[in-house]
Amino acid sequence: MVLTVDALAERYGKLPTEVLRDASTVDLIVFDVALSYRNYQQKKAKGQVDTSDYSQEDLEARMERVRR
């Protein structure tokens, strides 16, 4: 949690106490999603992401099971 507060403060140019006082859950969600996406893009650029985990047929079969 401390690292998240520090990273938010750094990103927005605020003191950690300001982030703790003013930040909302939405701020944390947006920060988490943005950071996760950035990490994914970096791994993808390095070829460290396996995008072949699921075939189209596998995904369709899973959706059919859920719909039943």
Side-chain angles (χ1 to χ4, degrees):
M1 185 63 169
V2 173
L3 293 176
T4 301
V5 170
D6 178 63
L8 275 170
E10 185 177 341
R11 172 173 272 189
Y12 295 115
K14 294 186 175 268
L15 294 171
T17 53
E18 292 176 292
V19 170
L20 288 171
R21 182 185 67 224
D22 298 332
S24 72
T25 305
V26 173
D27 295 321
L28 293 172
I29 292 169
V30 169
F31 181 78
D32 180 55
V33 171
L35 190 60
S36 296
Y37 184 70
R38 181 183 300 157
N39 290 340
Y40 168 78
Q41 290 294 343
Q42 289 173 348
K43 286 181 180 181
K44 187 176 173 185
K46 292 178 183 178
Q48 297 174 338
V49 174
D50 183 12
T51 58
S52 63
D53 287 344
Y54 302 103
S55 68
Q56 185 69 31
E57 294 80 19
D58 184 41
L59 293 174
E60 288 173 1
R62 290 170 184 247
M63 286 300 293
E64 278 302 312
R65 284 195 301 264
V66 170
R67 289 182 181 143
R68 289 185 208 159

